[in-house]
Amino acid sequence: MKIKKLTALVTVAMLATTMFVGCGSSSSSSATSSSSTETTTKKLVIGFSQIGQESGWRDAETNSVKDIPNQNKDIELKFSDGQQKQENQIAAIRSFIAQKVDVIGLAPIVETGWDTVLKEAKDAKIPVVLLDRNVKVSDPTLYATFIGSDFIAEGKSVAKFVTDKFGKDAAVSIVELQGTVGASAATDRQKGFMDGIKDFPTYKVIKSQTGDFTRAKGKEVMEAFLKSEGKKIQVVYAHNDDMAMGAIQAIEEYGLKPGVDIIIVSIDGVKDAFVAMAAGKTNFIAECNPLLGPQLVQAARDLKAGKTLEKWVKSDEKTFAGADAAKAALPDRKY
Ligand code: AHR
């Protein structure tokens, strides 16, 4: 009897082990590749270098990319988290080159400093697809395409909401929570906003500092702004929703009402921001689409087929203003 039970246990354990190895071989791991018994045709291998986990938006993009092998059984994904460091991303790209992946996807933390490693990828004949953020390189052929948002347009749409709200002659004091210094998402969102208020000389950005796209830093910087400027602040422009969420906490702790005493405008469109706007705590959201996995797949397939891609595949984005718009949009939000 005892021997029978033991044999049954060993059989279950062996089955479980086999299933785990099977899942592992087809999932998005950084080191493993598909088992040779699984398929006879070679999978298309994509190596993706992610920035990190700084925001809800970033997590949504990561999930979208990590879902690629689940939706495409002929694709293997090698995923690397750069943990907010460019040097980690460069090392990941070099590792993808050494592993001879078919296509490299890169969400570059900052715009500059990529020439050398992108040249190495080009020399190895591995095309690079930029996802979400752009780069500044000496030679545009160092990457195949950029799939992502128009960050300047996002900044302009935020400025338009603010100028429409306050009107031509009002004196408006604005504080800005910038994204990561040197990131295209931060540089261009600032540029777009400044362009948008340039014909409104009474609008002033009285404080501007990086909150690194994180909720904690957004709160910390907003606390400092409130300490020095207090009730003078009329508008918070946050380069992303997470920093806006941090600012809301800081404003509430300071004893003011976010969305009422201080207008809050931000970019991304994560669920938390819609919940806050539905509750009247924030006023305007410019959407930025993080669900870029399927477009990365399409680009990889096209590149493998030898096609030349458009240099910039722009995301479609909407804007949302006020509690009613947030309540109407919330049931359909995907991230
Ligand atoms: O590059 C896109 C930006 O990066 C998103 O707005 C932000 O939330 C993220 O961290």
Side-chain angles (χ1 to χ4, degrees), residues 122-145:
K122 190 180 175 189
D123 291 345
K125 300 193 172 24
I126 301 175
V128 174
V129 174
L130 301 176
L131 216 61
D132 147 43
R133 293 186 191 170
N134 212 336
V135 294
K136 276 187 185 144
V137 279
S138 54
D139 169 7
T141 68
L142 292 179
Y143 65 89
T145 183

Side-chain angles (χ1 to χ4, degrees), residues 54-55 57-58 132-133 151 185 189 213 239-240 267-268 288:
E54 73 280 4
S55 64
W57 188 100
R58 186 65 52 203
D132 147 43
R133 293 186 191 170
F151 297 134
R189 284 172 183 171
F213 282 128
H239 286 190
N240 81 344
I267 299 169
D268 272 358
C288 178

